[in-house]
Amino acid sequence: MGLAFKVFMTTDLKISSTQTPEAQAPVWWDASRTEGLAAFGAPVKITVDGKEFEAPAGASVLNAVIAAGVYVPHLCTHPDLPPACRRGEGGGCNLCAVETSLRPGKVTHACKIEVTEGMAIRTMSPLIRIGRQSALAKILANHPHVCLTCPDRNTCNRVECAYGHAPETRCCEQFSSCELHKIADFVGIRENTPVYQSAGLPVIRDEPLFDRDYNLCIDCRRCLTVCNDIRGVGCLEMKSVETPQGPRTYVGTIAATLLDSGCKFCLSCVEVCPTGALTDRTLDPAQHKATTAPCQTACPAGIDVPRYVQLAAEGKYSEAVAVVREKLPFPGILGRACYAMCETACVRGRLDDPLSIRSLKRIADDNDTGLWRQYSKQLPPTGKRVAIVGAGPAGLTAAWYLAKKGHAVTVFDANAAGGGTARYGIPSYRVPTDVVEREVAEVVKLGVSFEFGKRVENFDTLFAAGFEAALIAIGCQGGDRIGVPGDDLPGVVDSPTYLRAVAMGLVNTPAGGIDTGSKVAVIGGGNVAADNARSTRRFGAAVDIVYRRTQQEMPIHKHELEGCIEEGVNVRYQLATKRIEPGSGGFRLAITYARMEMGAPDASDRRRPIDTGEEITEGVDLVIAAVGQHTQQFAGFGVQTDAKGRIVVREDTLLTSRPGVYAGGDCVLGPSSLIDSVAQGRVAAAAIDRQLGGDGDIEEKLLHDGWQTSPYLGADPDFNRRRKVYPMVLMPAKRGNFDELEHRYSDSDARAEGARCLKCNLTAAIANAVLPPES
């Protein structure tokens, strides 16, 4: 029988400081592949509990038995680690007792011997059971365990003990997922197991990222192995102390703190810990193990963020952008204007500053040599036709992938050019027009047809013309009104209308359009309000942002607020628009504000503004309402919408209530982000492809160089103190036009910033511990 498992050689794997990183990597064999067999020799035949199997010569009995599907308890061994008991420093859980034909009638520890030809292995017997329970008793003597034998353990709230046991003798909050707990249930706790008495070891909860309770350490040494041997960081060591119960050993840091010990905060030690000795304090103890890094999980499009960040750290920009393009076609746009949920999720941000992931995407795109084109494929024509209404992020993304699947795609848009929000809703000082044009041109190269200046309001004509599927991707281009008397007067304009005029060059022009005058009020407190205000400052007008709550409740991103202040925008708080009237004294309008005070939190969990009765009236020339946006509705679409006018779709396919018609982006989500719309474009493309007879698989692999994150990190005592490298931006005095505000990184800065990555993907890739079978 063939085996598929990682098998560590039984040699001592402790690393010498003189070895190279390549030599320091552990030697293992994956039996699902053929390479590496020579290191272990030809497979040998063994029997496990009377059944015959094969295992590579040199494999430990423990790994061979587990690979055969037979569970043997163990704590010092882990699927991705060499057994800690072979480090040459003593230790070992001694739970993996078995009997073999080499020593009939005697217990042997399965992790310490190799399989041999014809070996017979027995995993259950009275003698084995006694040996395992004796080993477990020694472990539990130094670990709180009273809860393991409690009759109420499964109903206890884990806070108060009905039997009066002191907190230090009870199991920790990891109880439900604790590996030791599950193994103890499997092995059985004998009645004469010593009563645990606290040794009073350090409990550290005031350092970054994770907590350490050395009283819960069982000396399995997994953390020591992964930190020192696998990662090569070397910030852990064995500690020995005298306690009232006798000598006690545990694993601790080489210096007083994690920072001083040179910890790289990869959290691998936490991942392999079988108890609550090491815990990530930001996670729910019952939370399932993540299979991707937090940054990748947070990305709506699922980009392999760690991979492209780490490639950028090596100056491999073409390779990095190839990774990005595996999930989206617009790295240039999103490298400038993505809201970067990945940065919010970045674990480095809980240490000091999150990585500038978005900016690393931008430099990768700016240095793209087109390497990704080598593996970018387009299928032959299928003869199927798809209509997409809207040339914004969702529509263009869907067009890209549907064209690559061989379908004939036509994109209709009422505007004069493609890009949607990226072109008409985001000022060009953030995303230059030439970047949008370049990335739209890539869609054109796939054969996608565009009909600009054409508004589609009825799908009957499209289906009559031979289109077999349609996607509504019209965004949220309707601007919400302020909702006060006078909000329909000339000189009051909604945000989408104003920003579109800015993009089209229709502000303060002799040909007409929108005239800012000398004083402008922008009503709202979000990022869109900032776009309006900062754009207006570039036309020379004095600008107020007026928000009814305090700065604490303001939804605007911090860097956008800072940009407003740097550029001379006057941000005013706790003022709510009461009415707008024709102006006097040289101003076109008079706007009256009500002074607000903050009350209890409302449904948005922000403090509710309360009118104090005080009013302020001021003269302005233009009022821009940046208080919300909505989807424009067209009865001819024939699709169901919700109370807010958003199109109702099936979440898994984005299919509307009308057969053959799909919808995605802001017209479904409401005002969201570019990356959310891109993600929806991907979902729609896959679903439409399936409807048209395809397999719905739009995944691509555009980088085939075999590059992977090295498991060896190495020691670097300054790594955990390197702060964020910010991209250079134009000085405020030079922001009088729409030149791009943020410059790309220099090569050295990009490498330095990318190198700050904690490489959480390594921890996410660590295999789950092998647990006892469910009873």
Side-chain angles (χ1 to χ4, degrees), residues 292-317:
T292 57
C295 53
Q296 182 175 354
T297 302
C299 177
I303 302 173
D304 190 344
V305 176
R307 196 174 187 206
Y308 86 73
V309 164
Q310 292 161 32
L311 284 164
E314 297 180 12
K316 296 180 177 179
Y317 301 121

Side-chain angles (χ1 to χ4, degrees), residues 7 53 80 190 285 298 417 420 434 452 494 529 550 573 629 657 724 755:
V7 184
F53 299 92
D80 281 346
R190 69 186 191 187
D434 64 313
F452 294 118
D494 62 71
T550 70
Y573 302 101
Q629 294 172 219
S657 58
K724 183 171 188 167

Side-chain angles (χ1 to χ4, degrees), residues 321 324-325 328-336 361-362 365 439:
V321 81
V324 175
R325 280 188 168 273
L328 55 83
F330 311 121
I333 294 172
L334 288 162
R336 292 165 168 82
K361 186 189 295 107
R362 186 256 175 93
D365 178 69
E439 299 201 317

Side-chain angles (χ1 to χ4, degrees), residues 44 51 195 236 245 252 260 290 335 350 408 444 495 531 568 665 712:
V44 297
K51 295 182 180 180
V195 175
L236 300 178
Q245 295 78 40
D260 291 340
R350 306 206 304 262
V444 175
S495 169
D531 285 340
Y712 181 84

Side-chain angles (χ1 to χ4, degrees), residues 12-306:
D12 180 9
L13 292 175
K14 188 174 181 182
I15 296 171
S16 164
S17 60
T18 61
Q19 289 178 290
T20 64
E22 291 75 14
Q24 292 171 344
V27 180
W28 53 27
W29 176 73
D30 185 343
S32 64
R33 300 173 359 204
T34 56
E35 62 266 28
L37 282 171
F40 290 89
V44 297
K45 291 184 178 181
I46 61 173
T47 59
V48 180
D49 295 334
K51 295 182 180 180
E52 188 174 282
F53 299 92
E54 285 187 348
S60 72
V61 168
L62 177 62
N63 279 342
V65 169
I66 290 174
V70 179
Y71 180 74
V72 170
H74 55 280
L75 282 168
C76 57
T77 303
H78 183 278
D80 281 346
L81 303 177
C85 55
R86 283 195 227 113
R87 289 179 54 86
E89 301 169 352
C93 66
N94 295 324
L95 289 169
C96 59
V98 296
E99 295 181 57
T100 72
S101 53
L102 298 181
R103 300 180 65 196
K106 293 187 178 181
V107 167
T108 299
H109 296 123
C111 66
K112 298 181 180 180
I113 59 172
E114 300 176 2
V115 293
T116 59
E117 180 65 35
M119 177 183 281
I121 304 164
R122 188 179 184 187
T123 67
M124 291 298 292
S125 73
L127 184 62
I128 292 172
R129 184 168 182 269
I130 291 171
R132 291 174 180 173
Q133 289 186 345
S134 296
L136 179 63
K138 292 180 180 179
I139 294 170
L140 295 181
N142 291 317
H143 188 86
H145 61 272
V146 67
C147 301
L148 294 177
T149 56
C150 177
D152 297 336
R153 69 179 196 171
N154 293 324
T155 57
C156 177
N157 62 15
R158 324 270 1 123
V159 178
E160 297 178 355
C161 178
Y163 298 93
H165 295 295
E168 65 270 15
T169 68
R170 306 201 303 259
C171 294
C172 69
E173 60 183 7
Q174 298 281 96
F175 185 77
S176 62
S177 58
C178 176
E179 190 177 341
L180 177 59
H181 163 197
K182 297 178 186 300
I183 288 176
D185 285 352
F186 180 82
V187 171
I189 301 174
R190 69 186 191 187
E191 291 184 1
N192 62 346
T193 296
V195 175
Y196 169 76
Q197 294 182 351
S198 174
L201 299 179
V203 179
I204 303 169
R205 305 191 188 280
D206 58 354
E207 292 198 54
L209 300 181
F210 62 95
D211 295 332
R212 291 169 285 156
D213 185 344
Y214 293 131
N215 297 285
L216 304 181
C217 177
I218 59 173
D219 193 19
C220 71
R221 309 191 186 183
R222 285 186 189 174
C223 58
L224 191 69
T225 301
V226 74
C227 179
N228 294 9
D229 293 357
I230 305 299
R231 300 288 181 253
V233 177
C235 71
L236 300 178
E237 65 181 4
M238 295 303 305
K239 304 284 188 180
S240 181
V241 295
E242 288 294 331
T243 72
Q245 295 78 40
R248 176 77 184 273
T249 59
Y250 64 94
V251 179
T253 54
I254 61 175
T257 67
L258 291 167
L259 288 170
D260 291 340
S261 297
C263 177
K264 287 195 166 181
F265 295 95
C266 68
L267 297 178
S268 295
C269 58
V270 178
E271 182 60 41
V272 300
C273 179
T275 71
L278 303 175
T279 55
D280 184 339
R281 75 169 65 92
T282 66
L283 299 179
D284 182 332
Q287 185 173 341
H288 293 296
K289 177 184 182 298
T291 57
T292 57
C295 53
Q296 182 175 354
T297 302
C299 177
I303 302 173
D304 190 344
V305 176

Side-chain angles (χ1 to χ4, degrees), residues 526 529-531 533-534 537 545 556 558-571 735:
D531 285 340
R534 297 176 75 177
R537 283 293 295 143
I545 282 182
I556 192 172
K558 179 182 177 182
H559 70 274
E560 288 287 356
L561 179 60
E562 291 172 346
C564 286
I565 295 170
E566 288 173 351
E567 293 169 17
V569 174
N570 182 28
V571 184
R735 300 180 195 173

Side-chain angles (χ1 to χ4, degrees), residues 107 125 219 230 282 378 461 506 511 548 611 615 630 689 692 769:
V107 167
S125 73
D219 193 19
I230 305 299
T282 66
Q378 185 173 15
T461 55
L506 298 177
R548 60 181 184 157
D611 192 338
E615 292 187 356
H630 59 268
D689 179 56
L692 299 179

